[in-house]
Amino acid sequence: MPGQRSAPPRLDAIVCDIDGCLSPELPRPAATHLLARVSDHNRRARETGGVPPLTLCTGRPLPFAEAMARAVGAFALPIVCEGGVWVLTMDPYRWEMDPRITPEHLGLVREIEAWAAAQFDGAFLEAGKAAAVTIFHAQGPDYLRRVVLPAVQTRIDDAGWPVRAGMTWTCINIELDYISKASGIDRVLAATGLAPDRLAGIGDTMGDLAIRERVAWFACPANAHDELKAHADYVSPHEEAQGVLDILARLSHREGR
Ligand SMILES: [Mg+2]
């Protein structure tokens, strides 16, 4: 049974996924009153140092991550965006694409976008992605899983493209095979000197194993994928942002805090 291991006595940061954790997985209004409480946590971290700051690690495009960073006051540490393509810092305000991404591979991403848009009637691509392709479909996730994903995988295999394709709750992500949340977190660790044994993490889908593998203590909200919950030190009984607040409370009320 996952779920009841205590966090290390000293933590320097909390690395948190966005969709399914801070914001709803499906398009619904964000629980802004709960995000305000996450922002209060980050203000406490900034002003007193008494709690570890929460930072973000998301597959979403950089502008979405920046908006969420402003909402939850995640200004203390770099933010992983677009599944590792970008590392964004809010203060000072700057962002860097993974320097290993070549112009040729950026061209390949544009080629895959054009192919996907032409190939799948009813498909639409997530706006704002710089070096990845995310496919939604008018007929929904089940159609994507049954029809589109196998065709995408066949095309990748036939073309020998250096990318991987995977299904989330709602869409298909096609990403360069050397870019991931893991590579993004590694860039953050290198830039900040943060050490995995002093980090906590929060996630809800199997892509967040990259967070799990780089933190000492990992938690999930109640809505997380069961397969990921098996890797968690704590599973909150609450969903999404309420779950994140419950996890923050556990990390903030420990001995010595
Ligand atoms: Mg998520």
Side-chain angles (χ1 to χ4, degrees):
M1 172 78 186
Q4 301 308 322
R5 194 171 73 83
S6 297
R10 177 72 204 175
L11 290 170
D12 293 332
I14 303 160
V15 180
C16 187
D17 176 46
I18 297 180
D19 280 358
C21 292
L22 289 167
S23 68
E25 191 67 47
L26 299 172
R28 294 198 309 267
T32 52
H33 63 297
L34 301 179
L35 298 184
R37 289 171 57 192
V38 178
S39 187
D40 287 342
H41 170 96
N42 271 332
R43 184 180 307 112
R44 190 172 156 208
R46 192 163 56 247
E47 292 178 354
T48 72
V51 294
L54 177 143
T55 190
L56 304 172
C57 177
T58 180
R60 287 298 207 104
L62 185 151
F64 181 92
E66 177 183 334
M68 188 59 67
R70 291 173 186 265
V72 300
F75 279 63
L77 294 164
I79 291 163
V80 176
C81 318
E82 200 180 324
V85 169
W86 297 102
V87 171
L88 163 71
T89 63
M90 296 298 291
D91 182 20
Y93 185 52
R94 60 185 58 142
W95 46 92
E96 185 188 33
M97 183 177 282
D98 190 309
R100 297 172 302 158
I101 298 175
T102 63
E104 290 75 19
H105 283 171
L106 290 175
L108 172 62
V109 169
R110 302 285 87 83
E111 180 186 338
I112 295 171
E113 280 181 338
W115 172 78
Q119 186 75 15
F120 304 110
D121 194 28
F124 48 102
L125 307 181
E126 183 172 22
K129 293 237 160 160
V133 180
T134 294
I135 308 173
F136 288 80
H137 198 280
Q139 294 195 46
D142 184 57
Y143 183 84
L144 282 170
R145 188 177 295 104
R146 284 187 300 104
V147 177
V148 178
L149 185 59
V152 167
Q153 192 58 59
T154 297
R155 180 76 175 116
I156 291 169
D157 294 342
D158 290 349
W161 288 332
V163 300
R164 64 177 181 276
M167 187 78 207
T168 74
W169 296 113
T170 58
C171 58
I172 293 170
N173 282 323
I174 305 172
E175 298 163 303
L176 293 167
D177 59 11
Y178 54 92
I179 300 296
S180 65
K181 283 186 175 179
S183 67
I185 294 172
D186 288 343
R187 290 172 66 204
V188 170
L189 298 183
T192 60
L194 287 170
D197 63 353
R198 304 246 307 229
L199 298 179
I202 303 171
D204 73 313
T205 61
M206 287 306 284
D208 298 321
L209 264 186
I211 300 176
R212 155 77 282 180
E213 289 165 358
R214 282 158 178 78
V215 300
W217 189 86
F218 183 77
C220 297
N223 53 289
H225 201 289
D226 285 341
E227 203 178 339
L228 184 68
K229 287 178 181 174
H231 297 271
D233 298 306
Y234 174 65
V235 178
S236 174
H238 304 286
E239 296 198 343
E240 297 180 342
Q242 190 71 59
V244 171
L245 285 170
D246 171 54
I247 293 161
L248 293 181
R250 286 182 76 92
L251 294 175
S252 302
H253 295 151
R254 292 172 301 129
E255 272 180 83
R257 292 276 179 201

